[in-house]
């Protein structure tokens, strides 16, 4: 009989191919060497040192748009991408957000909806990390209801002119191109906006207590004039931005389990070495109950992520299936982090350990790319056939 592995109790590694294990291990190694030693300091300082250099390192490893094909992009599987997201978020949710906003939001929007001219212009450089993108959908007054956005775009001669504000935009302070969605007389349209266009301003959002190792911006567009080539030619309405959100949510299904794993392993190690009342606290029934429950939810979540990844590669996923994964895994990951914090006691709030950082970060992950309530309503509509969004 094989020995029990406390870090892989269900032997999930046996479900991965050697190539998938190699992808996971290469991402883990890079992060261990180049990011992990600094990420707590970045979180405490509220900024990443040399983010553009970090993007180039991600590009060298093939992490940017890694699941997209063509345009010199890696064209790897959804499972490969998911495994990378686990490792990125085990490091920090802000680090995973940098990669997923680049690949699953900005690059995917251009790859899926832009003209061939714009794809050739942006995607190769975005894949190497030389060009950084961001994604402008959320507004100060419109988050869960993007169809009511106030950002507008109007036709002026052969050009288009954008006016409005986008809020909570990851990578926005140093991006080279912003995918921006705006209202027209024909419905919502998307544009690839060079950030050096006159009238475009990115203002850093400060005083965050979550995702501090990630730059977040408010985008202000005042008479931003664009050629017609910047417009996404075919897509209209919410179909465009929501397709991008589905891509990003898939990465969160996996990534949230990375934050959970890091917190669980920190709590397990602490419980085996911290002594109270003359023995390790892992020897007390209440602590063991916490560890057992965390282990169950972590590995159930990993199994769910792997199932969705295999299905995405084979036949594709419905929006509802992605909501199923995002709703369950982020909610359970946050609970794992909170329980881990109780095992560490006072040390649980110190950045000497990763737990409080992951816990704070997941408070953002819980609500971005769709709040708990939005995913409950998506599933509720699918189950009952009745829309309860309004």
């Amino acid at each position: 009989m094989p020995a029990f592995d406390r870090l892989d109790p269900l032997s999930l590694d046996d479900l991965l191919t050697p190539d998938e294990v190699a992808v996971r291990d290469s991402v883990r190694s890079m992060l261990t060497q180049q990011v992990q030693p600094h990420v707590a300091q970045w979180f405490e300082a509220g900024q990443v040192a040399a983010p553009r250099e970090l993007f180039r390192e991600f590009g060298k490893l093939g992490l940017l748009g890694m699941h997209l094909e063509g345009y010199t992009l890696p064209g790897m599987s959804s499972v490969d991408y998911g495994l990378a997201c686990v490792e990125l978020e085990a490091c920090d949710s802000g680090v995973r957000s940098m990669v997923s906003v680049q690949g699953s939001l900005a690059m995917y929007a251009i790859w899926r909806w832009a003209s061939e001219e714009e794809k050739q212009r942006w995607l190769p450089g975005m894949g190497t990390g030389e060009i950084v993108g961001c994604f402008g959908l959320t507004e100060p007054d419109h988050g869960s209801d993007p169809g009511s956005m106030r950002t507008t775009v109007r036709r002026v001669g052969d050009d288009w002119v954008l006016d409005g504000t986008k809020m909570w935009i990851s990578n926005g302070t140093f991006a080279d191109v912003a995918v921006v969605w705006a209202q027209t007389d024909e419905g919502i349209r998307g544009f690839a906006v060079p950030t050096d266009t006159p009238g475009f301003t990115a203002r850093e959002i400060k005083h965050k207590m979550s995702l501090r190792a990630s730059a977040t911006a408010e985008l202000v567009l005042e008479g931003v004039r664009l050629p017609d080539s910047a417009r996404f030619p075919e897509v209209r309405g919410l179909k465009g931005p929501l397709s991008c959100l589905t891509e990003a949510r898939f990465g969160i299904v996996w990534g949230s389990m990375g934050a959970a794993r890091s917190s669980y392993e920190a709590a397990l190690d602490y419980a085996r070495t911290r002594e109270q009342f003359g023995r390790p606290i892992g020897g007390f029934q209440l602590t063991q109950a916490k560890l057992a429950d965390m282990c169950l939810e972590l590995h159930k979540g990993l199994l769910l992520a792997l199932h969705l990844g295999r299905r995405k590669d084979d036949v594709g996923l419905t929006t509802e299936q992605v909501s199923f994964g995002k709703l369950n895994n982020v909610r359970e990951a946050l609970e794992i982090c909170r329980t881990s914090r109780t095992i560490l006691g006072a040390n649980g709030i110190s950045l000497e350990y990763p737990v409080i950082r992951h816990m704070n970060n997941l408070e953002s992950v819980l609500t971005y790319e769709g709040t708990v309530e939005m995913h409950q309503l998506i599933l509720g509509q699918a189950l009952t056939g009745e829309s309860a969004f309004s």
Side-chain angles (χ1 to χ4, degrees):
M1 294 292 292
F4 180 82
D5 184 347
R6 66 172 62 93
L7 299 182
D8 186 15
L10 296 181
S11 301
L12 298 187
D13 277 6
D14 293 349
L15 302 179
L16 305 178
T17 68
D19 286 345
E20 289 166 347
V21 171
V23 167
R24 181 198 65 190
D25 290 350
S26 65
V27 177
R28 184 180 297 179
S29 176
M30 178 268 185
L31 293 168
T32 298
Q33 295 175 36
Q34 300 187 43
V35 180
Q36 196 67 54
H38 312 292
V39 71
Q41 181 181 349
W42 295 344
F43 185 94
E44 190 163 20
Q47 65 181 50
V48 176
R52 296 191 69 94
E53 181 179 332
L54 185 58
F55 264 88
R56 285 189 286 270
E57 292 300 316
F58 289 151
K60 290 177 184 177
L61 199 57
L63 291 175
L64 305 176
M66 66 183 292
H67 58 307
L68 305 179
E69 296 181 345
Y71 310 98
T72 71
L73 303 176
M76 301 181 78
S77 72
S78 298
V79 171
D80 288 330
Y81 174 59
L83 292 167
C85 286
V86 172
E87 299 307 319
L88 287 161
E89 197 143 357
C91 183
D92 191 86
S93 299
V95 174
R96 196 266 309 146
S97 292
M98 294 169 70
V99 171
S100 62
V101 167
Q102 176 87 341
S104 291
L105 290 177
M107 291 178 70
Y108 180 81
I110 294 169
W111 180 85
R112 179 68 180 84
W113 300 116
S115 67
E116 185 62 28
E117 176 186 353
E118 291 295 284
K119 292 175 184 178
Q120 295 287 354
R121 177 182 182 184
W122 298 112
L123 290 176
M126 295 177 82
T128 63
E130 294 296 327
I131 296 173
V132 176
C134 64
F135 186 86
L137 178 63
T138 298
E139 297 186 353
D141 298 319
H142 300 282
S144 294
D145 182 19
S148 299
M149 69 175 66
R150 295 177 182 171
T151 297
T152 61
V153 61
R154 67 186 188 279
R155 199 71 189 261
V156 179
D158 293 333
D159 296 336
W160 296 85
V161 177
L162 275 165
D163 289 281
T165 304
K166 299 296 182 179
M167 196 71 172
W168 304 112
I169 309 304
S170 295
N171 302 345
T173 56
F174 56 91
D176 303 292
V177 59
V179 170
V180 176
W181 303 91
Q183 295 277 14
T184 72
D185 293 337
E186 301 174 338
I188 293 170
R189 304 298 297 265
F191 294 80
V193 183
T195 59
D196 60 0
T197 306
F200 183 101
T201 307
R203 301 169 180 167
E204 184 178 4
I205 297 174
K206 295 183 179 293
H207 310 300
K208 299 183 301 177
M209 294 303 293
S210 179
L211 296 181
R212 291 176 56 79
S214 175
T216 311
E218 175 189 28
L219 306 183
V220 180
L221 305 115
E222 298 176 306
V224 175
R225 192 172 188 125
L226 302 168
D228 189 53
S229 59
R231 174 179 56 92
F232 296 167
E234 302 298 331
V235 68
R236 290 176 175 81
L238 287 174
K239 176 182 178 180
L242 293 185
S243 68
C244 303
L245 293 182
T246 298
E247 280 297 299
R249 289 165 179 168
F250 173 78
I252 293 170
V253 174
W254 290 82
S256 57
M257 290 294 97
R261 187 193 74 195
S262 174
S263 295
Y264 163 72
E265 290 180 356
L268 179 60
D269 181 67
Y270 192 86
R272 297 175 69 230
T273 56
R274 171 74 167 181
E275 292 191 1
Q276 294 290 287
F277 303 102
R279 58 174 169 155
I281 62 173
F284 292 95
Q285 291 179 354
L286 291 176
T287 303
Q288 290 189 4
K290 292 178 181 181
L291 291 168
D293 285 345
M294 287 193 290
C295 185
L296 284 172
E297 296 306 326
L298 170 61
H299 291 89
K300 283 157 59 178
L302 288 169
L303 276 170
L304 173 57
L306 182 58
H307 167 68
L308 293 178
R310 295 280 187 234
R311 186 166 181 80
K312 190 174 192 292
D313 284 328
D314 291 342
V315 297
L317 294 175
T318 68
T319 299
E320 293 81 6
Q321 287 170 332
V322 177
S323 287
F324 195 111
K326 202 269 186 180
L327 174 61
N328 181 81
N329 281 13
V330 180
R331 196 159 55 180
E332 295 304 324
L334 184 54
E335 187 59 32
I336 288 170
C337 290
R338 289 170 175 166
T339 304
S340 296
R341 216 253 356 128
T342 69
I343 292 176
L344 270 69
N347 285 322
I349 68 167
S350 170
L351 290 177
E352 296 296 320
Y353 298 86
V355 176
I356 192 66
R357 179 165 49 83
H358 288 311
M359 193 171 88
N360 280 17
N361 285 337
L362 286 175
E363 290 289 351
S364 292
V365 180
L366 186 71
T367 55
Y368 75 16
E369 318 297 355
T371 64
V372 165
E373 293 80 5
M374 288 299 104
H375 291 294
Q376 287 172 326
L377 293 179
I378 289 170
L379 290 173
Q381 180 175 347
L383 293 170
T384 66
E386 300 287 341
S387 175
F389 283 96
S390 61

